[in-house]
Amino acid sequence: MTAVDMAHSLTLKDLRISLDGTCLLALDEVVKPGGVLTVMGPSGSGKSTLLSVLSGFREKAFEVSGRIFCGDLDITEWPPQQRRAGLLFQDPLLFPHMSVGQNLVFAIPAEKRGRARRRAMAEAALSDIGLPDMFDRDPATLSGGQAARVALARTLLSSPAFVLLDEPFSKLDTELRQQMRELVFSTARQSEWPMVLVTHDADDARAAGGKTINLSDAAHNG
């Protein structure tokens, strides 16, 4: 097996996820580089389970069929570390025992060697998101918006092949939510990452552009 090195189309080929014999969702989609596939639905509809399956962390209780391709590579059976899925959640999930900068350095792939080089990459990423000189800050001292931006920078530094978004804007206030939407989706387009967004917020789907699938639609709910 070879780890995914760069973003290509993400293809979900006849992907079906079931629980106790009941189909939660069935998808046959291609997400192009820089594109976003939005999956909407209520709690329990299988949205977060879809992201777990795509990232390689699926729970054994779920039955999964179909294939997942990144470019021409079939990654269906690959372990999470080889898929290089970038993950953004509702909460930033920064490591509390590390500084802001150490959180970023931790995400940089191991093949990018050299302590000075890795620190410089982290400091440049902080400048890019408008948080220069925060390398040594304690994550606990960040505002919600600052922490969200650091989480995005960490994802960018991880050199993801594709990005999975689990309602990453839901806990932000209205103004910051719009700013983060613009930052995340513009970054995806520039970096040519295929993205899968799960949300219950129609404004998220509109901001993402691209195709939206509603799991309340019987055609996708078994």
Side-chain angles (χ1 to χ4, degrees), residues 40 51 83 95 117 159 191:
M40 298 186 67
L51 298 191
R83 298 187 188 205
F95 297 118
R117 178 191 182 194
S159 300
S191 302

Side-chain angles (χ1 to χ4, degrees), residues 1 4 10-16 52-58 64-70 72-80 82-83 162:
M1 292 183 193
V4 174
L10 179 67
T11 302
L12 317 182
K13 183 66 175 175
D14 298 324
L15 187 67
R16 294 176 64 89
S52 297
V53 169
L54 296 179
S55 62
F57 291 104
R58 79 175 173 97
V64 180
S65 62
R67 313 303 296 176
I68 304 165
F69 292 88
C70 190
D72 295 327
L73 300 174
D74 185 341
I75 65 171
T76 310
E77 305 299 333
W78 287 21
Q82 287 184 301
R83 298 187 188 205
F162 54 94

Side-chain angles (χ1 to χ4, degrees), residues 128-161:
D128 288 343
I129 58 170
L131 299 175
D133 305 320
M134 286 202 176
F135 188 97
D136 295 317
R137 280 279 291 272
D138 182 339
T141 67
L142 300 178
S143 68
Q146 290 172 331
R149 280 185 279 167
V150 171
L152 174 61
R154 184 174 61 182
T155 297
L156 189 154
L157 283 171
S158 70
S159 300

Side-chain angles (χ1 to χ4, degrees), residues 3-57:
V4 174
D5 292 322
M6 55 189 299
H8 302 282
S9 292
L10 179 67
T11 302
L12 317 182
K13 183 66 175 175
D14 298 324
L15 187 67
R16 294 176 64 89
I17 301 174
S18 304
L19 181 63
D20 297 328
T22 299
C23 181
L24 298 177
L25 60 87
L27 299 175
D28 193 27
E29 303 289 342
V30 176
V31 190
K32 295 190 177 298
V36 185
L37 173 66
T38 300
V39 180
M40 298 186 67
S43 297
S45 61
K47 301 190 308 297
S48 293
T49 302
L50 169 63
L51 298 191
S52 297
V53 169
L54 296 179
S55 62
F57 291 104

